[in-house]
Amino acid sequence: MSDPIRSQILDCATRVGSIFDLLFDQIEDWRSTILALPAASPPGKMDSLVQSLVVPSLMADDPILIGAGLIAAPQYLHSDGVHVAWWLGPLESNPLLGSTTGPTRLDLSTRGYAEYVNDLRTLEWYSVPESTRQTHITGPYVDHLCMVDYILTLTIPAEVEGSMLGVVGADIYVKRLERELLPLFTSLNEPVSLLNQVGRVIVSTDPTLAVGTLIPDGKHPVGSFALQACPGTPFSLAVTGVDA
């Protein structure tokens, strides 16, 4: 690989990393504010605080986030189960929720058909931050709870003195992320794909690699490609037709 091409790929990967850095900085700010609220506060006060924090981002012009909030462990608010303080941004023709023009709160009481809502802590976006106490990105996956579309979920563990109190996080439509990344990817003049930590395609300009495609063991189904890690993320860029 020539030095100019290597430099272009590295710059592209760095810019991908910066997008997620900004998103995690926002979620971290939310977490800090939420944890500053006294633990004995009633759920309604917590809900109002979370709503005031996340709704401005969901209602911004052309927002990159489609959902955000807090999933609190039972011990945080002294409840029998997890407490969901999660809001969704405006939706267009959503199969579950229809079309909305403003923020709406996620209501799990309408999801009785989904057994996993009985304990959301079993899902990856909660269980991994709980076990690692690190930030985590789940996906791409089809969200059958709300979006019925490919999304990424970014979560940060909320803990005090080693006690896990829940996760603070946000959802991104993959199709919205594409609008951020495709102009950047097309500037490389070679097919390029953003892969998650297990090699699943998130965004791609390679017509042979659809979103959700798994590339096992880093083996491209058509030919060789170069991999470049995206700083600060578990993701990498796969540039087709370029030797490593």
Side-chain angles (χ1 to χ4, degrees):
M1 185 194 311
S2 68
D3 287 342
I5 293 176
R6 187 184 302 276
S7 178
Q8 289 176 346
I9 295 173
L10 179 59
D11 179 64
C12 185
T14 300
R15 292 169 67 182
V16 171
S18 68
I19 292 174
F20 287 93
D21 282 345
L22 290 173
L23 292 173
F24 273 119
D25 284 348
Q26 176 66 83
I27 298 171
E28 172 59 39
D29 286 345
W30 294 340
R31 178 178 67 170
S32 298
T33 303
I34 290 169
L35 291 179
L37 193 69
S41 299
K45 188 170 184 180
M46 174 66 72
D47 294 345
S48 295
L49 174 61
V50 175
Q51 182 179 15
S52 70
L53 292 173
V54 305
V55 164
S57 293
L58 299 176
M59 295 301 295
D61 291 338
D62 196 21
I64 192 169
L65 301 181
I66 189 59
L70 164 74
I71 307 296
Q75 63 268 26
Y76 193 11
L77 298 175
H78 308 291
S79 61
D80 294 332
V82 296
H83 182 79
V84 179
W86 196 273
W87 273 261
L88 309 174
L91 304 171
E92 294 183 5
S93 303
N94 183 279
L96 291 175
L97 303 172
S99 297
T100 62
T101 58
T104 56
R105 185 173 180 174
L106 175 60
D107 180 7
L108 292 183
S109 67
T110 63
R111 304 291 191 277
Y113 56 84
E115 185 175 335
Y116 58 80
V117 303
N118 293 329
D119 192 350
L120 296 175
R121 293 172 296 175
T122 63
L123 300 180
E124 178 185 336
W125 48 259
Y126 191 106
S127 64
V128 173
E130 181 180 37
S131 62
T132 65
R133 303 302 169 96
Q134 302 291 324
T135 62
H136 186 67
I137 304 177
T138 304
Y141 68 100
V142 177
D143 173 32
H144 295 289
L145 190 61
C146 305
M147 301 302 143
V148 197
D149 207 334
Y150 275 109
I151 68 168
L152 297 174
T153 299
L154 286 61
T155 41
I156 296 179
E159 56 181 320
V160 174
E161 297 180 350
S163 178
M164 181 72 174
L165 301 179
V167 297
V168 181
D171 292 330
I172 310 170
Y173 270 138
V174 167
K175 61 187 178 185
R176 175 63 182 82
L177 184 63
E178 285 180 340
R179 289 172 35 213
E180 296 289 319
L181 298 183
L182 289 181
L184 182 61
F185 288 2
T186 55
S187 70
L188 292 179
N189 297 320
E190 296 288 351
V192 59
S193 304
L194 180 65
L195 309 181
N196 72 1
Q197 58 269 42
V198 298
R200 195 171 298 281
V201 175
I202 304 170
V203 175
S204 181
T205 59
D206 187 331
T208 69
L209 296 175
V211 174
T213 300
L214 183 63
I215 302 177
D217 302 321
K219 296 179 181 178
H220 192 287
V222 175
S224 64
F225 59 84
L227 282 175
Q228 175 64 57
C230 299
T233 78
F235 302 152
S236 58
L237 296 183
V239 185
T240 307
V242 176
D243 294 331

